[in-house]
Amino acid sequence: EEGMHLHQLDVKTAFLNGKLEEDIYMVQPPGYDKGGPQMVCHLQKALYGLRQAPRAWYTTLRGKLEGVGFRASDADASSFVLEKSEHKVFLLVYVDDILVASKSEQAVRDVKQLVGSLFDVRDLGEARFFLGMEITRDWEKGSIKLSQHKAVSNIIMRFGMGEAKLSSTPMSTSTRLSKRG
């Protein structure tokens, strides 16, 4: 059976799409003096760093996706499904990063275009990295491999362990564990 096509989108300035539900005021930023220094700004949209920004962005995202036919997953708030003719298309969202998955490559292209009409997105093409994980596909074997090699290497270097001597796993790799009641 054909595997899933997996592509990635990045929503540009995602939090700025979020509409605030409460009244929030802020001190005028440096260089902006409308009405004098005693005046404040009444925010209409979320800003980065605002505690309400992630919720406002998610509410906007979910509303727009549901408006074009996506259904939010009951099990995971970051997953959405669109049943498009004979194909299902899955969206996996982490803040402003979106994975688009379907067995139909055309359905993936259509959904990327649809999401691009809702938000300003950057199409990153076939997914290669997501949340610090490297994604490697082998279409011939029908496999997908997730690796955190790069993230682990960066941590090792950051803590000055790049020259450390390797050590084998302190436990036998052939040991079989079982659960006893």
Side-chain angles (χ1 to χ4, degrees), residues 12-31:
K12 299 177 185 176
T13 59
F15 285 176
L16 301 181
N17 291 296
K19 293 176 181 49
L20 295 171
E21 296 174 359
E22 51 277 297
D23 288 329
I24 297 179
Y25 298 90
M26 66 173 267
V27 174
Q28 293 183 38

Side-chain angles (χ1 to χ4, degrees), residues 13-172:
T13 59
F15 285 176
L16 301 181
N17 291 296
K19 293 176 181 49
L20 295 171
E21 296 174 359
E22 51 277 297
D23 288 329
I24 297 179
Y25 298 90
M26 66 173 267
V27 174
Q28 293 183 38
Y32 185 83
D33 295 337
K34 295 278 184 180
Q38 75 283 1
M39 300 300 284
V40 293
C41 296
H42 180 213
L43 297 180
Q44 303 295 315
K45 293 191 169 197
L47 294 176
Y48 283 86
L50 194 63
R51 279 189 283 166
Q52 294 88 339
R55 181 173 34 91
W57 158 238
Y58 176 78
T59 301
T60 299
L61 173 70
R62 181 175 177 156
K64 287 194 176 192
L65 290 176
E66 287 177 341
V68 295
F70 278 92
R71 182 178 41 83
S73 168
D74 293 330
D76 185 350
S78 65
S79 300
F80 298 86
V81 180
L82 175 67
E83 298 199 31
K84 186 174 172 28
S85 58
E86 68 275 356
H87 300 287
K88 283 185 179 180
V89 182
F90 301 91
L91 285 188
L92 304 171
V93 180
Y94 184 78
V95 187
D96 60 351
D97 294 316
I98 300 175
L99 286 180
V100 183
S102 179
K103 289 184 179 183
S104 165
E105 192 168 11
Q106 183 60 49
V108 168
R109 283 194 295 270
D110 292 346
V111 166
K112 289 194 310 183
Q113 186 176 8
L114 176 62
V115 173
S117 73
L118 301 173
F119 303 103
D120 187 11
V121 298
R122 189 174 63 197
D123 184 351
L124 301 175
E126 200 169 317
R128 303 264 185 246
F129 285 94
F130 191 71
L131 304 180
M133 290 181 283
E134 183 178 4
I135 302 168
T136 308
R137 299 293 302 260
D138 187 336
W139 287 99
E140 289 180 15
K141 292 181 181 177
S143 68
I144 186 167
K145 177 181 169 186
L146 301 177
S147 169
Q148 291 186 300
H149 181 267
K150 184 176 178 183
V152 170
S153 295
N154 288 341
I155 291 169
I156 289 170
M157 297 308 284
R158 187 173 72 212
F159 288 97
M161 302 285 295
E163 301 299 318
K165 294 185 180 186
L166 298 177
S167 176
S168 62
T169 305
M171 181 176 160
S172 170

